[in-house]
Amino acid sequence: QVQLVESGGGLVQAGGSVRLSCAASGRSFASHAMGWFRQAPGKERQFVAAISWNGGSTGYGDSVKGRFTISRDNAKNTVYLQMNSLKPEDTAVYYCAGDIHYDGPYYYSDDVERYTYWGQGTQVTVSS
C-alpha cells in the first residue's frame, strides 16, 4: 500500500498560480496511475487530472483543460499539479489519489471508484 500527503495549497487571487505536490511513501508507487480530485462544500468529489504509471498519458476534466498540468517524478515518489489562471470556482479541497489497477502502460481513470489510496487533502482558496 501507499501513503499520500498533499502540500502546496493556500490562498491565491484570481488569475494566479499554485503548484500542488503529493509525496508518496510505500512500495510500488511507480506502478500506480495517479489522479487529482477536488471537492467543494456541498458538492461531489470531482475529477481534475490523472496520469499513467509511466507518465506517458494524461487526462483532464473539462473545467481545467488548458489551465492545469499534472506531472510525476517516480524517482522522487512525487506527483504534481500545476494550476494556472485560477478562478474562484476552483476553490476546493484537492486530493491526491492512487489507482492500483493496471490495464496497460498508458492506463488511467477519471472514475473516483477506481482509486484505492487517498491523501488527506489540501485547501486551495481563490479570491475574486
Side-chain angles (χ1 to χ4, degrees):
Q1 61 181 9
V2 176
Q3 299 291 320
L4 305 175
V5 179
E6 303 95 334
S7 62
L11 177 65
V12 62
Q13 293 188 9
S17 297
V18 171
R19 189 174 79 153
L20 305 182
S21 297
C22 173
S25 62
R27 297 181 178 180
S28 301
F29 171 78
S31 67
H32 295 171
M34 301 293 296
W36 287 95
F37 293 78
R38 66 188 183 186
Q39 189 164 26
K43 296 185 177 181
E44 66 181 7
R45 192 162 295 189
Q46 179 186 46
F47 171 73
V48 175
I51 188 167
S52 62
W53 72 269
N54 65 355
S57 183
T58 59
Y60 299 91
D62 289 341
S63 64
V64 307
K65 287 180 179 177
R67 299 189 298 123
F68 292 8
T69 303
I70 188 172
S71 61
R72 68 190 298 164
D73 186 339
N74 288 344
K76 297 180 179 179
N77 294 332
T78 303
V79 181
Y80 305 96
L81 183 68
Q82 178 68 44
M83 304 189 294
N84 298 327
S85 301
L86 284 163
K87 305 174 182 179
E89 50 263 47
D90 295 319
T91 295
V93 177
Y94 283 72
Y95 297 92
C96 177
D99 181 353
I100 66 171
H101 303 91
Y102 180 80
D103 291 327
Y106 302 102
Y107 163 81
Y108 64 84
S109 178
D110 61 2
D111 183 357
V112 66
E113 299 297 328
R114 296 284 289 180
Y115 289 83
T116 302
Y117 302 107
W118 294 85
Q120 84 289 346
T122 185
Q123 176 73 42
V124 175
T125 301
V126 184
S127 64
S128 60

